[in-house]
Amino acid sequence: MNKDNTVKYVNIDWKPDKSLKVPLYSQIVRYFSRKIESGDWVSGQFIPPQRKLAELFEVNRSTIWEAMQELAALGLTEGNYGKGTMIVNDAWEMLIAGSTLNWQSYIDKGNFRANVDYIRQINQLEYEEDIVRLGTGELSPKLAPRDALAQILTEAMDVELELNYPPPLGLPRLQQALCRYLEDEKGIKVKPSNILITSGALQALQLISVCIVPPNSVAFIESPSYIKSLNVFQSAGTVLESIPMDENGMMPWIISKRFDVGRAILYTIPTLQNPTGNVMSTERRDEILRYCRANRIPIIEDDVMGDLWFDERPPKPIKALDDYGSVIYIGSCSKAFSPGMRIGWVVGPESVIQRLADIKMQQDYGTSTLSQQVFARCLETGVYEEHLMKVRPALKRRRDLTLRILEKHFSDIAQWNEPAGSYYIWLRLNGSPSIRRIFEAALAEKILVNPGEMYDIRENYSLRISYVYEDEDVLERALIRLAEIIRETRG
Amino acid sequence: MNKDNTVKYVNIDWKPDKSLKVPLYSQIVRYFSRKIESGDWVSGQFIPPQRKLAELFEVNRSTIWEAMQELAALGLTEGNYGKGTMIVNDAWEMLIAGSTLNWQSYIDKGNFRANVDYIRQINQLEYEEDIVRLGTGELSPKLAPRDALAQILTEAMDVELELNYPPPLGLPRLQQALCRYLEDEKGIKVKPSNILITSGALQALQLISVCIVPPNSVAFIESPSYIKSLNVFQSAGTVLESIPMDENGMMPWIISKRFDVGRAILYTIPTLQNPTGNVMSTERRDEILRYCRANRIPIIEDDVMGDLWFDERPPKPIKALDDYGSVIYIGSCSKAFSPGMRIGWVVGPESVIQRLADIKMQQDYGTSTLSQQVFARCLETGVYEEHLMKVRPALKRRRDLTLRILEKHFSDIAQWNEPAGSYYIWLRLNGSPSIRRIFEAALAEKILVNPGEMYDIRENYSLRISYVYEDEDVLERALIRLAEIIRETRG
C-alpha cells in the first residue's frame, strides 16, 4: 500500500515478449506510447517505480531505465516530481482541451479535497480482494434475498413481461404496490400520480438538486449527515449548513433566520439517521414540519433506512403528517432488500413529481422495467416483508456482537451510541487523534473504515463502523485489530 | 382534441357527493383549493371549461359558475386569458420561488418552443389509449423477445444472482460478453476497462455531454439527426451545427473551419442513420475519421440501430478503424432487443470511460444488476443473435409493405428513401405544407406522426414514419388515411 494516496498509478496489463527480435526496451516504449496515444493513460497519472516495473515485466532494471529515458525524450513523461514518473502529454487532453471533470473543480477548490479523495479511494478499494469492509453502506451478499428472488423470477413468466419503455413516472404496477406499502407501513396516503420511480434514492436526490433546489440555496442538514458524503447538493451550488441534534433529533430552533425565503431547503433522515442511528421523536417531527411550513422551507425526507428497525417500530415519517405538500419523501429498496435492483421512489405533490419525471426522461428514459416488475411482485406477494423478518434479527445480532466488542476493547478510547436499527455505529474517538493516520494504518492491514469527516462539515474524530457486510468472525477480528491500531496511532 | 396545444388542463379525479349536506359548489371549491394547496396543481395550469366541468361533476352550469367565482375571490384563479381559467397561486411556487425547470428555460427561449412542445406532447400521447403510433421509436411489444427472456430468467437461477451494488464500470460478466460481441460483430477490439455500462444510450449521451464536451462547444451533426430531438447537448450549452449528407453520408469537407480547436465534437449515426436510414460508405467513414483526427475533433459514434440491417451487413463502425482513441462509441439493446432493460454501453479510451463512470456513480450508483445479468446471458447463450434472426425479417416485411403503400398513395405528394434496415422512413412532402396542421389533423383522428422539425435545425416539410410499432393492418389503414389528410390539408 502506497502511503501517499494522491498518486494514481496506471494499470499495467502487458508483458514484453522475449521471443521477439525487437529489443525489450523498445517493446516497452512502444507499449507505453501506445497506451498514452490511445488515451487509455492520461496526463497526471504516474508510472509505477522502476523496481516495480522490472518485476512486472520480468526484465533488468537497466532495460527499464533505458525505456524511461526514451519516453522522457519523446516528451511523453517527466520525472522528479518527488512521486516518480508522471505522464505529461496525451491524446485526449489535446482533443478536449478546456473540458473538465465535474468533480475535478471540487477537488481543486481544496475544501472538498480530502473528502473527495476518501470517497474515490474507498469506492475503488471496496472492490479489491481481501479487503475487510468495516465502513460500507451495503449488506453482506449472504443477507441478500437470493432464493426469494430466484423464486419470483420463475413465477414472473406467468405474467406478461413488460419489455418496452416504461411510462415517465414508472410502471403503474409498481406505483400501485408502493401506494399500498406506503399506506400500510408508513401511514402515507398518496395516489400513483404522486410517485416517481427512480434508479435508487441517489438519483432521486440528484433530480431534486437539479430541478427543485434553486441556485445559491442553503440546505439545512443534520450534523453529521450522510448527504455530506455525496456531491448532489454541492455540485448544484447549494451550501450545506449543519444543524446539531439532541436525543430527539435535529433542533429546528437553531436554524439561522438569515436565509432568503425560497432559497432554503431542509434535508433530514429522521428515522435511523445515517451515520448516527438516531430516531427523531414524533414531537420533533411535528415541530420541524411546523417550523418549515411557517418559514416556507421545503423538506426533503430521506427514509431509506426506515424499515430496518430492530425492536420498536419508529414514528411515522414526517410525510405522513404533511397535509400541505411541503415534504418530498424518498425511499428505496437498496438498504433493506437489494441495491443491485436500483429501485428508489420519490413521493410528492403531482406538480413536483411531473417536473422530476420530465428531467429523468431527459437523462435516461426511465428505470429498468425488469427491476420494476420484480420489485413490484416482491411487494405484492409479501416477499419483501418476509425478507425484512429475516434480515432484522440478523442485523440485530450483528449490532449486539459489535456493541459487546466495543464494550470490551474500545471503552477507554471511544464513545458510541446504541442504534435502534440499520447498519452503523458512529464511533467518536477520545482526544483528537489523526483520523487520516488511523485510516492509512488500518488500510495497510486491509481494513477499510469510513472517516467521520466524510459526513460532517466540522472537524471531528469519528469513524462510521458498519456491522452488516463482513461475516461475524471477520468483523470481530477486524474490530479488535482496529482498537489496537487506534491505540498505536495515538502513540 | 384541443387545437391550441399550449394549454395544459389539470386532471380531475373526483366528483361531488350529492348525499352530503355540504352544498355542491362548496364541495367543488374545497376540492380545487385542496389540489392547489397541496401542490398537485400549479400556477399556469388551466381548469377545464365550465361546460366540461358541469359534465364531469354531473352538476348544473350555475353551480360551476358559483364555484369559479369563489375560487377567483380566494385569489387562486384568474379568468379571461383567452384560454379559460388559469391557476395563479400555489404552495410550491411560494416554497420554491426562483426554482426553474431545466427545460423551461428552453421553452422560454422561443427557438426550441415548437420542438419541445412536440416532444412533450408526443411523450404523453404515446401512452393514450387507441392512439396509432406512426412515428414512434420503439418496437411493437409483439416483436419483443418475451419467450426467450422468460427462459433466461428461469435459467438465471442456476447461477448466483448479483444483488449488490455493481462496480463503477458495470458487471464484469456483461463487459466481457460485450467485448466478444464487439469483436465478432463489429470488428472493435477492446478490453473490459474500455467499456462502461449505462442505463441506455441516452444516459451515455447525457454523461458525455456533461463531462466530455467543453462549455460553449459546437457539435457537428448530420442534417437531419435524431440528436436534435434530445436536449442533451443543447442543455449543456453546446450549439448544434448541421452538416448535409450525400448518398455516402455526412460530408466532412463542408464543416466550417471557424471553430476553436478543443471546442468541437462530431456526432454521427453512420449506420442506419436516424431518421433517414442512410448507411455511410466505408470510404466516407475513413474520410471522416481522418478529417477529425487532423482537426482534433473527437467523434461520438452512435450505433444503436447497427444490428437492424435487412439484407447486407453494413460497413464496420468508425470505432473499428480508430487506432488513436478519437472515437467514443455508443451502443444499446433498446432498439434491436428491449428498451425496458435500460442497457446501453459506451466504448472509449480508459481515461474517458473512467471519467464517465465517476459521474455516473454520482448520479445513480450504476445500472440494474438484474438487467445487466439477464442481457449478459442473452449475449452468452446466443439468445440475442437468435432474436435478431427473427426480428430482421419481420421488420423487412413491414418496410416492404410500407413502401408498397407509399408507392400507391403518396407518389404525388411526397418523396422518400428505401431504408436498408431499422425503423423509419423519412417522408419529404412536396411543396411547403403546414406540418403543424397535418400533425393536428392526424391527431384528431388518433394518428400520431413525428414532425420533421423535431430532427432538423432548418425548416423542413418532412415526417418521420415508423413502421415497427403498429400491426400491419393498422399501419396500412393509418398510412392511407394520412395520405388523405395531407391532401386535405393542402386544400
Side-chain angles (χ1 to χ4, degrees), chain A residues 296-361:
Chain A
R296 294 195 192 164
I297 303 173
I299 296 174
I300 318 294
E301 179 179 27
D302 185 335
D303 194 28
V304 299
M305 289 295 190
D307 285 344
L308 288 177
W309 46 273
F310 296 158
D311 299 302
E312 199 182 338
R313 185 181 280 272
K316 283 181 188 166
I318 304 176
K319 183 70 190 164
L321 313 169
D322 172 35
D323 283 332
Y324 292 91
S326 317
V327 180
I328 302 180
Y329 171 92
I330 297 170
S332 156
C333 83
S334 296
K335 298 304 179 186
F337 198 67
S338 158
M341 305 280 286
R342 306 311 304 123
I343 296 288
W345 46 92
V346 199
V347 181
E350 279 175 20
S351 57
V352 170
I353 292 302
Q354 274 167 25
R355 288 186 189 197
L356 298 174
D358 270 324
I359 302 295
K360 178 163 164 67
M361 284 294 275

Side-chain angles (χ1 to χ4, degrees), chain B residues 287-307:
Chain B
E287 209 168 347
I288 284 189
L289 182 59
R290 275 185 290 116
Y291 177 88
C292 286
R293 268 200 55 97
N295 290 282
R296 294 194 193 168
I297 303 173
I299 297 174
I300 317 294
E301 179 178 27
D302 185 336
D303 193 29
V304 299
M305 289 296 189
D307 286 344

Side-chain angles (χ1 to χ4, degrees), chain A residues 1 3 27 73 84 88 125 222 272 292 306 373 388 464 487:
Chain A
M1 176 58 209
K3 287 282 173 184
Q27 288 186 41
V88 292
L125 288 165
E222 282 130 2
L272 300 168
C292 286
Q373 282 165 98
L388 288 181
R464 187 182 82 172
R487 279 198 195 86

Side-chain angles (χ1 to χ4, degrees), chain A residues 230-367:
Chain A
L230 303 178
N231 255 332
V232 278
F233 287 132
Q234 296 100 306
S235 65
T238 302
V239 175
L240 303 181
E241 192 171 317
S242 290
I243 306 299
M245 292 182 273
D246 64 13
E247 70 282 9
N248 290 316
M250 196 184 211
M251 297 181 283
W253 54 86
I254 289 178
I255 292 177
S256 140
K257 296 287 180 193
R258 291 169 305 154
F259 61 88
D260 296 342
V261 170
R263 297 210 179 270
I265 59 160
L266 183 138
Y267 169 87
T268 177
I269 312 171
T271 303
L272 300 168
Q273 206 261 353
N274 180 353
T276 62
N278 281 1
V279 176
M280 193 186 284
S281 65
T282 305
E283 295 67 31
R284 186 62 55 80
R285 287 169 198 241
D286 197 51
E287 209 168 345
I288 283 188
L289 181 60
R290 275 186 289 117
Y291 176 88
C292 286
R293 269 200 55 97
N295 290 282
R296 294 195 192 164
I297 303 173
I299 296 174
I300 318 294
E301 179 179 27
D302 185 335
D303 194 28
V304 299
M305 289 295 190
D307 285 344
L308 288 177
W309 46 273
F310 296 158
D311 299 302
E312 199 182 338
R313 185 181 280 272
K316 283 181 188 166
I318 304 176
K319 183 70 190 164
L321 313 169
D322 172 35
D323 283 332
Y324 292 91
S326 317
V327 180
I328 302 180
Y329 171 92
I330 297 170
S332 156
C333 83
S334 296
K335 298 304 179 186
F337 198 67
S338 158
M341 305 280 286
R342 306 311 304 123
I343 296 288
W345 46 92
V346 199
V347 181
E350 279 175 20
S351 57
V352 170
I353 292 302
Q354 274 167 25
R355 288 186 189 197
L356 298 174
D358 270 324
I359 302 295
K360 178 163 164 67
M361 284 294 275
Q362 291 184 27
Q363 292 193 346
D364 66 10
Y365 281 141
T367 292

